[in-house]
């Protein structure tokens, strides 16, 4: 890695570490520590999703016009102010406004950092760069959550103020680190004179492969991340009788699998067709949902149900480790010259939609109708496989097999006939 890429990865780790400080305890902070109740706490979590959905379309346009670094710095300042204000707020209106600023800043960071990774990598090295980003994000979130859990005290609001201040400091530190990054000058998208943004949007919506990938991305995030802390946890507690401590162990197993398997999996993924890797993830997640079905609907002992439930989260982690060096680079290689920011923002928007809808659908279904819940998400996982196979027919040889690339810019054209290699 060059110096710019090292700084970007340090920045990813710092932002994840800061978020890990506060995100797991946000509900408790608003509802109990500030005494604002469960309704306000639920609204705060909803505001995070709504703020992301509002700003991401504008983020893509700004990255196309200004470049990723100025957009990232603006997002970091916004997130820092939101975090600091949230730690000092005690009134519902200020809490919601602070959460909106933090959620908007956090959402814009994702496509901006992803575009910087694209600009500082090549088609051959991009999979490893995105895998490293995902690894450090999970490591940072886990470490931040672990340290934050030992610092907070629900009897002292000041302990949470310290936590949010530390998060704001992480964003400021990240801004200082990112300000020193020297990114290679990326090609600019010109489009129609005077209307580059409108032309870029039309180009994206007319890209059949990208639209297919957006649909696939929605299903992926809806069937996995959208269920982690809502439907699947509700199913585990209600149907499988899993204790809260076992649920925490399952979440740790997910992160542990990612940390342990990420670079082992990368060796396998780097020489495989991207569409087939995503299709394999769908099959792995189908097995994960069947394992969850055994945990809640089988007739085994409590110990067997707990082991099966923990295995479910570990299998999800294995799939995530396979996706991290696949999805991000594929979005980048589909983007025409100068439009990586627009494509990254569109993919981030689809992810946020899935994360907003997933809990609303999965939570009630997992708690009240466990058998249909499992069947639905087994079918969703098999749908991932089918969509990935279809996507593979739309990709060019270099887009699906990046090790054949000779340069960073991937030429667009008709997909070449598939060969027999894996």
């Amino acid at each position: 890695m060059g110096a710019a890429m090292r700084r970007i990865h340090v920045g990813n780790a710092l932002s994840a570490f800061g978020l890990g400080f506060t995100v797991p305890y946000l509900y408790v902070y608003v509802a109990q520590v500030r005494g604002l109740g469960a309704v306000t706490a639920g609204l705060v979590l909803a505001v995070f999703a709504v703020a992301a959905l509002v700003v991401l379309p504008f983020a893509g346009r700004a990255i196309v016009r200004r470049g990723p670094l100025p957009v990232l710095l603006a997002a970091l300042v916004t997130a820092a102010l939101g975090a600091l204000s949230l730690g000092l707020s005690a009134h519902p209106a200020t809490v919601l406004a602070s959460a909106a600023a933090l959620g908007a800043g956090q959402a814009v960071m994702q496509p901006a950092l992803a575009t910087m990774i694209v600009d500082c990598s090549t088609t051959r090295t991009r999979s490893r760069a995105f895998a490293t980003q995902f690894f450090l994000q999970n490591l940072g979130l886990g470490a931040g959550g672990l340290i934050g859990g030992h610092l907070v005290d629900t009897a002292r609001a000041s302990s949470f103020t310290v936590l949010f201040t530390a998060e704001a400091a992480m964003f400021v530190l990240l801004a200082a680190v990112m300000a020193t990054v020297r990114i290679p000058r990326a090609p600019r998208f010109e489009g129609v004179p005077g209307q580059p943004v409108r032309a870029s949007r039309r180009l994206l919506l007319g890209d059949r492969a990208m639209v297919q990938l957006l649909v696939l991305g929605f299903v992926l995030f809806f069937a996995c991340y959208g269920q982690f802390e809502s439907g699947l946890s509700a199913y585990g507690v209600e149907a499988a009788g899993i204790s809260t401590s076992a649920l925490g162990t399952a979440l740790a197993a997910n992160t542990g699998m990612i940390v342990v398997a990420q670079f082992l999996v990368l060796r396998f993924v780097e020489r495989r067709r991207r569409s087939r890797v995503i299709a394999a993830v769908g099959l792995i997640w189908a097995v994960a949902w069947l394992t969850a079905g055994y945990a809640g609907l089988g007739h085994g002992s409590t110990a067997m149900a707990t082991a099966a439930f923990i295995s479910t989260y570990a299998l999800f982690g294995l799939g995530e480790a396979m996706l991290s060096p696949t999805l991000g680079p594929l979005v980048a290689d589909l983007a025409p010259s100068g439009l990586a920011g627009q494509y990254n923002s569109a993919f981030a928007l689809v992810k946020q939609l899935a994360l907003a809808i997933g809990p609303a659908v999965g939570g009630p279904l997992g708690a009240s109708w466990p058998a249909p819940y499992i069947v639905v998400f087994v079918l969703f996982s098999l749908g991932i496989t089918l969509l990935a196979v279809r996507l593979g027919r739309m990709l060019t040889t270099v887009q699906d097999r990046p090790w054949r690339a000779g340069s960073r810019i991937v030429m667009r054209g008709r997909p070449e006939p598939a060969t027999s290699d894996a």
Side-chain angles (χ1 to χ4, degrees), residues 168-419:
M170 287 296 163
F171 291 138
V172 172
L173 179 59
L174 172 54
V177 171
M178 290 294 101
T180 66
V181 174
R182 297 293 176 262
I183 303 175
R185 184 177 295 276
R188 299 297 298 273
F189 176 75
E190 300 299 335
V192 179
Q195 297 180 330
V197 173
R198 186 175 301 176
S200 68
R201 191 187 305 118
R202 284 200 300 268
L203 188 60
L204 188 153
L205 294 176
D207 188 335
R208 291 179 62 247
M210 184 60 190
V211 171
Q212 175 78 8
L213 182 58
L214 292 176
V215 173
L216 175 57
F218 179 87
V219 178
L220 280 165
F221 293 118
F222 179 81
C224 178
Y225 298 99
Q227 304 307 313
F228 268 10
E229 297 176 2
S230 58
L232 191 53
S233 58
Y235 167 85
V237 172
E238 298 293 339
I242 301 299
S243 66
T244 53
S245 61
L247 180 59
T249 302
L251 289 167
N254 174 263
T255 302
M257 173 63 79
I258 292 169
V259 171
V260 170
Q262 182 64 84
F263 292 103
L264 296 176
V265 167
L266 181 62
R267 294 174 180 268
F268 172 81
V269 168
E270 281 183 319
R271 302 295 294 182
R272 298 297 187 277
R273 292 175 60 180
R274 286 168 169 165
S275 59
R276 292 186 180 179
V277 170
I278 301 172
V281 170
L283 296 178
I284 291 171
W285 285 359
V287 173
W289 283 108
L290 291 173
T291 306
Y294 170 78
L297 306 174
H299 301 287
S301 64
T302 302
M304 290 295 293
T306 300
F309 195 73
I310 293 172
S311 299
T312 298
Y313 274 79
L315 286 170
F316 275 119
L318 178 60
E320 291 174 75
M322 294 171 66
L323 288 176
S324 64
T326 306
L327 285 179
L330 180 53
V331 172
D333 288 347
L334 281 170
S337 179
L339 283 187
Q342 186 87 38
Y343 275 55
N344 282 324
S345 294
F347 197 74
L349 179 62
V350 165
K351 178 180 179 180
Q352 289 296 329
L353 278 171
L355 295 182
I357 298 172
V361 174
L365 190 62
S368 304
W369 295 283
Y373 178 69
I374 294 298
V375 171
V376 164
F377 283 97
V378 168
L379 294 177
F380 262 102
S381 300
L382 295 176
I384 290 170
T385 300
L386 294 176
L387 288 170
V389 171
R390 183 181 177 189
L391 175 64
R393 301 191 187 109
M394 301 179 183
L395 301 176
T396 65
T397 296
V398 173
Q399 288 165 353
D400 207 18
R401 307 171 183 85
W403 64 89
R404 293 187 176 183
S407 64
R408 191 182 86 83
I409 304 300
V410 179
M411 300 302 294
R412 306 302 306 279
R414 295 178 60 85
E416 297 181 23
T419 59

Side-chain angles (χ1 to χ4, degrees), residues 107 135 293:
F135 171 83

Side-chain angles (χ1 to χ4, degrees), residues 28-37:
V28 173
Y29 169 69
V30 176
Q32 299 179 12
V33 177
R34 290 300 184 185
L36 299 178

